[in-house]
Amino acid sequence: QVQLVESGGGLVQPGGSLRLSCAASGSFLSIAAMGWHRQAPGNERELVATITSGGAADYVDSVKGRFTISGDNAKNTVYLQMNSLKFEDTAVYYCNVQGRRNLWQNFSSWGQGTQVTVSS
């Protein structure tokens, strides 16, 4: 079992910043990639940003230049620094971690979600 604990969501005004964290724990061999998805009411879940264990990052176009994903391999933790937040960033943000459970199995685990609300 791989457990993910997210933190850092909240209420922020437009133009403000928030930092999300997601820590992975449990039984696994290695992590290949970590990422953040989000889901707004009435919308499908979308990929926001990902980072590989080697540090390669990718972003959805709508957050490029505003969000930064980073990882701490020693702590099995991924962060999402969100700056210049907009109303349309309001959503529940979910952490996803993918890796090797053992020599024969991969895993993909999801966090419980953390609410980010951008409102004046």
Side-chain angles (χ1 to χ4, degrees), residues 2 24 28-35 50-57 71 73 76 78 96-101 105-109:
V2 180
F28 55 90
L29 191 60
S30 62
I31 291 175
M34 306 180 84
T50 60
I51 187 167
T52 68
S53 59
N73 291 337
N76 294 322
V78 63
N96 175 252
V97 175
Q98 299 178 20
R100 299 286 294 183
R101 189 184 307 280
Q105 293 178 308
N106 296 326
F107 75 87
S108 178
S109 293

Side-chain angles (χ1 to χ4, degrees), residues 2 11 14 19 24 33 40-41 53 55 69 85 88 98 113 117 120:
V2 180
L11 174 65
R19 189 190 194 211
S53 59
I69 189 170
L85 282 160
E88 52 263 41
Q98 299 178 20
T117 302
S120 55

Side-chain angles (χ1 to χ4, degrees), residues 2-84:
V2 180
Q3 294 83 37
L4 304 182
V5 177
E6 302 173 8
S7 61
L11 174 65
V12 64
Q13 292 185 341
S17 298
L18 284 174
R19 189 190 194 211
L20 306 182
S21 299
C22 172
S25 63
S27 178
F28 55 90
L29 191 60
S30 62
I31 291 175
M34 306 180 84
W36 291 94
H37 295 63
R38 66 186 179 187
Q39 187 168 20
N43 291 355
E44 294 191 355
R45 190 174 297 188
E46 68 166 348
L47 177 63
V48 176
T50 60
I51 187 167
T52 68
S53 59
D58 198 13
Y59 302 89
V60 67
D61 286 345
S62 59
V63 308
K64 286 180 179 178
R66 301 188 298 119
F67 290 10
T68 302
I69 189 170
S70 61
D72 185 333
N73 291 337
K75 296 181 179 179
N76 294 322
T77 299
V78 63
Y79 307 96
L80 186 67
Q81 178 67 43
M82 304 185 293
N83 298 329
S84 302

